[in-house]
Amino acid sequence: MFPEGEISDVVVIGGGPAGAICALALARAGVDVKLMYWGGYAPGGIELVSGRGRHFIEQYRPDFFSEVVHGIEIHETVSLWDTAEPVIFNAMFNPWGAGVAIERPLLDGALRNLASGAGGTIIPDAKVVGVERQHDRWRLIARSSPDAPSNETTSGAGECAIYTRFIVLATGRVPLPFFDHAPVAESSQIALMTSLQARIAPGHTLYIEGTRSGWWYALPAGKGYFAGFCIGRNELKQRQSGLKDFFFQELQCTRLLAPLSAGAFDQRPISGRTAGATMFPAMGGDAWIAVGDATAAPDPLSGTGIEWAIESAQLGADMLLEALQKSEGNVLFDLPRYENAIRQRVAAQEKTAAYHYDRLKEIRETKET
């Protein structure tokens, strides 16, 4: 069961990087904040934390990637996007330094632990099944998993009401039906992902390759690679073979990735995830805001997913702190200023992505003619 009756300043819904960083920033400022998340939505696989994203995290804990969680530094990017030969970009020329390839569950858990250590309350395996606005507060109905561990906040399975002055949505691309919060349109891109065995030691290189069907990336992961294939939703539906066969048939058409992998044997299942860019028209409302991918999810081409989650979470936390300090009752959040700041950053990302996709389209059309 959950503690009932007490009113928190803020409840953050979602336990990924955006939710954890937002809760961490609020807790460090002395805000009574609870973070609740449902593990069933947690993504797996390997994520790239960019050099800039790494800088953001290390501002909270400088030894985060050396002592708390360990990943693989990405020293270079090898790209075969719209050129005849691969282009190599060395991280030493990046002012932010090298990024880190890291297991997503480890990253999420470590960031939540930072928020807990700063004074935030973490409520694991808690699913929001109801939300109601009551005068100057929210009433959330949360249901815990039968397997949820017992601690000072929860005691196994149960359902309870939690009260708060303000809600932060950090639910990623998954909209919550209790708010005016749904994407503008369904994403047109799907990312197919799996782990690959390697013919040689993977090293510290990120590979990116554009093909006629979509584009690929491969991150070093242990003794192999974590590979993703981004393709249009309609193109995927029109495939003539099973998902696994289709994936490896397309893989064999690549020039960079195919030589790296040891074949399709003994591989993990293929998983799928919505890719492409997603925009939510409502980024907040009456005493609630969204952060991270729940505002606007960047295209995976950008490699800024974690970076965006952290940056938007910090922006949301800063503006929320300003509102909390000024208010004694209702939290008067400057939503127009927050939305404008988010949209400016999204517009810059969209401009960059459009440039690269247009270049790739031109190359494909040239080859076809």
Side-chain angles (χ1 to χ4, degrees):
M1 298 293 292
F2 305 105
E4 190 164 358
E6 60 186 70
I7 302 177
S8 300
D9 289 327
V10 180
V11 166
V12 178
I13 305 175
I21 290 293
C22 190
L24 170 59
L26 294 172
R28 282 197 167 188
V31 174
D32 177 13
V33 56
K34 290 181 172 63
L35 183 153
M36 56 196 308
Y37 68 97
W38 181 250
Y41 296 143
I46 306 295
E47 292 272 6
L48 175 64
V49 180
S50 67
R52 186 164 179 258
R54 178 179 183 174
H55 171 74
F56 286 152
I57 294 174
E58 290 177 339
Q59 286 183 317
Y60 292 101
R61 178 152 180 177
D63 64 351
F64 185 85
F65 290 101
S66 60
E67 299 295 334
V68 181
V69 291
H70 300 280
I72 300 175
E73 281 197 343
I74 303 301
H75 296 163
E76 65 178 9
T77 299
V78 178
S79 172
L80 189 59
W81 188 258
D82 58 2
T83 57
E85 298 298 328
V87 175
I88 301 176
F89 178 79
N90 196 301
M92 70 179 295
F93 298 110
N94 185 340
W96 297 103
V100 181
I102 192 167
E103 292 185 39
R104 178 62 185 271
L106 295 180
L107 176 66
D108 291 0
L111 291 176
R112 290 194 297 265
N113 288 340
L114 288 186
S116 176
T121 300
I122 309 299
I123 307 177
D125 296 311
K127 186 174 185 179
V128 177
V129 295
V131 177
E132 179 184 6
R133 184 70 175 156
Q134 295 183 340
H135 305 293
D136 61 347
R137 65 181 180 176
W138 289 101
R139 180 175 182 265
L140 290 82
I141 304 298
R143 180 180 301 152
S144 63
S145 165
D147 301 323
S150 299
N151 54 35
E152 61 181 17
T153 306
T154 63
S155 56
E159 189 173 290
C160 187
I162 297 176
Y163 298 90
T164 184
R165 299 170 64 196
F166 201 92
I167 290 176
V168 175
L169 292 185
T171 50
R173 296 173 184 260
V174 181
L176 280 185
F178 316 108
F179 298 87
D180 180 19
H181 189 248
V184 174
E186 185 180 53
S187 173
S188 62
Q189 297 287 312
I190 299 292
L192 304 177
M193 300 166 291
T194 193
S195 296
L196 299 173
Q197 294 177 340
R199 297 184 186 277
I200 58 176
H204 298 265
T205 302
L206 162 65
Y207 293 91
I208 299 176
E209 181 171 357
T211 67
R212 293 184 60 182
S213 302
W215 68 272
W216 289 81
Y217 67 91
L219 282 166
K223 297 181 179 181
Y225 289 91
F226 182 75
F229 176 39
C230 293
I231 185 174
R233 189 184 297 269
N234 291 334
E235 287 81 359
L236 183 62
K237 290 179 180 178
Q238 295 171 6
R239 70 183 189 276
Q240 303 298 315
S241 57
L243 188 62
K244 188 171 183 178
D245 289 339
F246 172 77
F247 182 92
F248 285 102
Q249 288 167 4
E250 292 293 324
L251 177 63
Q252 294 308 308
C253 296
T254 61
R255 290 171 54 192
L256 291 180
L257 275 64
L260 301 175
S261 63
F265 302 104
D266 299 324
Q267 305 298 334
R268 295 181 181 179
I270 307 296
S271 62
R273 187 191 305 176
T274 299
T278 301
M279 170 72 77
F280 288 88
M283 300 179 190
D286 183 12
W288 71 272
I289 61 164
V291 296
D293 282 4
T295 57
D299 192 283
L301 164 66
S302 66
T304 60
I306 301 298
E307 176 185 321
W308 169 253
I310 297 169
E311 182 182 11
S312 63
Q314 289 177 327
L315 179 64
D318 288 344
M319 291 196 174
L320 183 50
L321 284 171
E322 181 182 310
L324 287 168
Q325 291 167 357
K326 291 181 179 179
S327 68
E328 297 181 357
N330 292 330
V331 182
L332 303 177
F333 187 81
D334 191 351
L335 183 59
R337 182 157 64 99
Y338 177 70
E339 289 185 332
N340 183 57
I342 293 293
R343 293 186 190 281
Q344 286 182 351
R345 288 163 172 79
V346 170
Q349 292 179 355
E350 290 178 340
K351 184 177 180 180
T352 301
Y355 169 79
H356 283 86
Y357 278 125
D358 287 344
R359 289 281 299 276
L360 182 62
K361 182 179 179 181
E362 291 173 4
I363 296 298
R364 288 173 180 165
E365 291 175 347
T366 300
K367 289 181 179 179
E368 288 175 357
T369 57

